[in-house]
Amino acid sequence: MVASAKLVSSPMQPFLQVVEISKMFPGVQALDAVNVDIFPGEVHCWIGENGAGKSTLVKILAGSMTPSSGQIRISDEIQDISSPHHAQQLGLSFIFQELSVVNGLSVADNILLGNELSRGPLVLPKASFVRAKELLMRIGFGSLDPNRKVGQLSTAEKQAVMVARALNIDAKVIFMDETTSTLDRDEVENLFSVIRTLKSEGRSIVFISHRLNEVEKIADRITIFKDGGIVGTYNSGELSINGMIRKMVGRDIEHTFPTKNRTFGKSVLEVKNISTAKISNVNLAFQSGKITGIAGLVGSGRTELMSALFGLDRLTAGSISMGGELQRFRNCRDAIRAGIGLVPEDRRGQGIIGLRSVEENISITWAIGKPLRSWKRDSVVLAKKFISGLSIKTPSMGKQVGQLSGGNQQKCVVARWLAVAPGILLLDEPTRGIDVGAKAEMYQIIDQLAREGMAVVIVSSDLPELLGLADEIAVMREGLFMGMLGGDSSEEEVMSLAMGEVK
Ligand SMILES: Nc1ncnc2c1ncn2[C@@H]1O[C@H](COP(=O)(O)OP(=O)(O)OP(=O)(O)O)[C@@H](O)[C@H]1O
Ligand SMILES: [Mg+2]
């Protein structure tokens, strides 16, 4: 593919040059002679559909994967990045969605990991504390106590620890591969001000996200990946969000959200005054045909509410009933039997079965209790339907799910529950990591299922998405249900309830 790159006219030399890098996996050309330059002090966004090759290039630069061919130049010198340690020595730092922090260690120890301040064999705790504090202050996290255990921190704070670690080794380029997908709106704003600080110090940031409004806001330049190649590199002002989509997908995506003229049926599930260790006294009812959104900040109890409904967390008070019948779920198997499905937030922990095939991952729950013969035949049909319906990018349905790109793994988890079509489907951040085209397809499928009578409950940190999809929005704050808003509410109305601001 020819890069129609139009570089910013700059007298500066690129710090990092990716030259004709290719990567072959069995049956997949993940990267095909890709060229990208990273200049000092720029925020360079990489966007592209799921499976386009973004993370593969990041992993090659991180020294955790070797390219099949091509060159990497740093300050105009060819470098063979042989290991993550080597990448670090070359000034490259990486923040992935699955953060490489050590939960059992303190903030200071995590920041200085591998570069401990010591005199001889003795680590210097006081000096480490001071150094960590100084680094955190530089990125506006001065209130984070360096003595705290990292395991107790929020995702946003853990990311700050990673940024401070990058500063400690004086990283020149910091890669962020979908780090905002687990943050709420304010946390993203905070990260952006950290990014601006890093940039003002002449450091470069490679920022990967499927949230194109973020890209529009933070990018100096944008490189668009497609099918292992590069469509082009553009100055941020050159592309509108629609322009980005057109170049990523090769067509326009219209009518992103389905119209909301759904008709609601009977109540499918009711919760009365339920409490668990994490939520208190929640009252809600979910109706057939209705999409109920759950809004709230990270940590407000949204996921915990889902866990309670799905029999994962023990109720300490209150009751759940379905169709007027009281339910006592001892575990999620009971909940599934009663007709509840859950697409979990934690895809790696609870969702994908990495070593199993795409087909098995899609059909595994649907197949429960089915006779083996029809199972095998229908499971292929089912897998085909969802691979095409959600555009799951895989060389075959026999491919191990663990080898798909992040977004395509997520699509398989969602497909598993869409295939079951339970009476009530709980979706916890279902579009996390999913590209814009597939999101639109997923919205259509969710809408269709609601129209067929399913009650849908959806948690999403992407507020425009929640408002675009849901008929009503339940707002959570600090484990409490704050109230129900209409699907036509504004982002501000939802946020003020979620944050407890008095208007
Ligand atoms: N370890 C692996 N073995 C085989 N194929 C792989 C492996 N890792 C990635 N691939 C394939 O390489 C291609 C590019 O994947 P990559 O993870 O780079 O995509 P991505 O652009 O980061 O997508 P996403 O937006 O979904 O994260 C995909 O087709 C993927 O299936
Ligand atoms: Mg990726």
Side-chain angles (χ1 to χ4, degrees):
M1 225 174 279
V2 182
S4 63
K6 208 166 94 187
L7 287 177
V8 181
S9 51
S10 156
M12 266 190 284
Q13 277 300 309
F15 174 73
L16 169 72
Q17 290 168 285
V18 170
V19 186
E20 300 285 308
I21 288 279
S22 294
K23 177 71 184 175
M24 260 320 266
F25 291 114
V28 182
Q29 176 99 41
L31 292 171
D32 186 7
V34 160
N35 293 289
V36 193
D37 290 336
I38 307 295
F39 285 89
E42 72 165 335
V43 179
H44 195 142
C45 293
W46 292 359
I47 60 175
E49 291 177 287
N50 296 130
K54 306 174 296 291
S55 296
T56 302
L57 185 53
V58 174
K59 285 175 198 157
I60 288 170
L61 292 166
S64 56
M65 226 177 230
T66 41
S68 309
S69 61
Q71 253 182 23
I72 293 161
R73 292 172 166 267
I74 291 181
S75 302
D76 219 17
E77 265 183 46
I78 300 176
Q79 298 287 352
D80 250 331
I81 306 180
S82 55
S83 68
H85 182 66
H86 188 202
Q88 197 185 76
Q89 287 174 326
L90 293 168
L92 310 181
S93 221
F94 299 84
I95 306 179
F96 294 102
Q97 218 183 84
E98 279 90 30
L99 293 167
S100 52
V101 285
V102 185
N103 283 328
L105 292 182
S106 71
V107 168
D109 289 346
N110 266 283
I111 292 174
L112 303 176
L113 201 68
N115 298 284
E116 288 79 7
L117 298 176
S118 53
R119 187 174 296 133
L122 290 180
V123 176
L124 302 171
K126 183 100 192 287
S128 304
F129 181 94
V130 172
R131 173 78 179 146
K133 188 89 184 164
E134 179 223 332
L135 293 168
L136 288 167
M137 273 166 67
R138 267 168 60 187
I139 53 170
F141 276 78
S143 60
L144 190 57
D145 178 1
N147 283 331
R148 271 181 77 188
K149 287 270 181 290
V150 161
Q152 300 168 346
L153 305 184
S154 70
T155 307
E157 289 168 329
K158 286 181 183 175
Q159 287 182 2
V161 169
M162 292 296 292
V163 174
R165 189 192 286 174
L167 283 183
N168 187 46
I169 58 160
D170 195 22
K172 298 292 186 281
V173 188
I174 300 167
F175 294 80
M176 303 186 177
D177 191 351
E178 292 192 43
T179 46
T180 53
S181 67
T182 43
L183 304 183
D184 62 37
R185 202 174 69 159
D186 288 7
E187 290 172 330
V188 171
E189 279 307 321
N190 227 338
L191 180 70
F192 280 4
S193 64
V194 172
I195 289 179
R196 290 188 194 103
T197 306
L198 297 170
K199 187 173 134 170
S200 71
E201 295 175 356
R203 299 177 212 281
S204 324
I205 288 90
V206 172
F207 180 85
I208 299 177
S209 174
H210 288 293
R211 297 183 182 171
L212 300 180
N213 54 347
E214 293 177 357
V215 172
E216 186 181 45
K217 209 180 258 177
I218 198 75
D220 294 314
R221 295 197 303 151
I222 302 169
T223 289
I224 300 181
F225 287 66
K226 186 166 175 55
D227 300 328
I230 284 179
V231 178
T233 298
Y234 306 88
N235 291 325
S236 66
E238 280 180 83
L239 286 180
S240 63
I241 289 187
N242 277 334
M244 292 181 216
I245 295 175
R246 223 169 289 135
K247 294 208 183 295
M248 270 170 65
V249 187
R251 63 186 154 87
D252 286 322
I253 293 181
E254 285 165 53
H255 312 303
T256 309
F257 296 110
T259 46
K260 288 192 191 172
N261 57 352
R262 291 177 278 263
T263 35
F264 312 139
K266 59 183 183 348
S267 168
V268 178
L269 187 144
E270 282 163 30
V271 300
K272 286 217 175 74
N273 305 319
I274 59 165
S275 298
T276 65
K278 305 276 178 51
I279 56 171
S280 350
N281 208 19
V282 176
N283 286 289
L284 280 170
F286 302 104
Q287 259 174 287
S288 152
K290 185 186 270 185
I291 302 180
T292 305
I294 313 274
L297 302 181
V298 169
S300 61
R302 299 168 303 174
T303 294
E304 288 75 12
L305 172 61
M306 300 294 228
S307 300
L309 299 179
F310 197 56
L312 292 171
D313 287 356
R314 207 173 61 82
L315 297 189
T316 52
S319 63
I320 297 177
S321 51
M322 295 180 75
E325 244 180 73
L326 211 59
Q327 304 287 333
R328 274 187 225 291
F329 301 144
R330 285 158 303 173
N331 49 41
C332 61
R333 233 168 275 139
D334 287 348
I336 294 171
R337 227 171 277 132
I340 305 180
L342 170 75
V343 172
E345 179 189 28
D346 173 13
R347 177 176 71 227
R348 285 191 181 274
Q350 304 166 21
I352 58 156
I353 310 165
L355 296 177
R356 292 299 188 91
S357 70
V358 170
E359 181 200 334
E360 286 171 295
N361 269 274
I362 293 175
S363 66
I364 193 159
T365 309
W366 162 89
I368 292 172
K370 295 218 166 44
L372 192 63
R373 268 196 22 240
S374 67
W375 183 103
K376 202 54 213 153
R377 193 190 53 229
D378 295 347
S379 125
V380 170
V381 176
L382 198 73
K384 269 201 186 124
K385 175 177 151 194
F386 284 101
I387 288 170
S388 106
L390 291 176
S391 318
I392 297 174
K393 194 174 172 214
T394 176
S396 74
M397 66 173 76
K399 179 93 170 171
Q400 285 185 4
V401 162
Q403 292 186 350
L404 299 190
S405 78
N408 284 300
Q409 295 183 14
Q410 172 71 357
K411 290 183 206 171
C412 290
V413 179
V414 176
R416 179 187 305 164
W417 284 103
L418 297 179
V420 174
I424 174 164
L425 181 60
L426 315 173
L427 299 157
D428 198 350
E429 305 280 5
T431 59
R432 179 175 286 171
I434 300 243
D435 70 46
V436 55
K439 265 183 198 167
E441 286 156 22
M442 200 175 280
Y443 299 152
Q444 294 303 330
I445 294 180
I446 291 171
D447 174 60
Q448 174 83 32
L449 289 168
R451 285 178 198 281
E452 287 166 10
M454 188 188 281
V456 179
V457 186
I458 175 166
V459 169
S460 174
S461 297
D462 184 341
L463 214 43
E465 167 176 287
L466 211 55
L467 291 163
L469 263 186
D471 298 299
E472 59 178 17
I473 295 178
V475 183
M476 300 285 294
R477 175 159 57 92
E478 293 170 12
L480 298 170
F481 168 57
M482 301 307 295
M484 191 67 93
L485 296 173
D488 53 356
S489 308
S490 67
E491 285 190 40
E492 282 59 40
E493 286 170 303
V494 177
M495 284 310 284
S496 70
L497 203 54
M499 298 177 65
E501 284 166 7
V502 183
K503 274 194 283 185

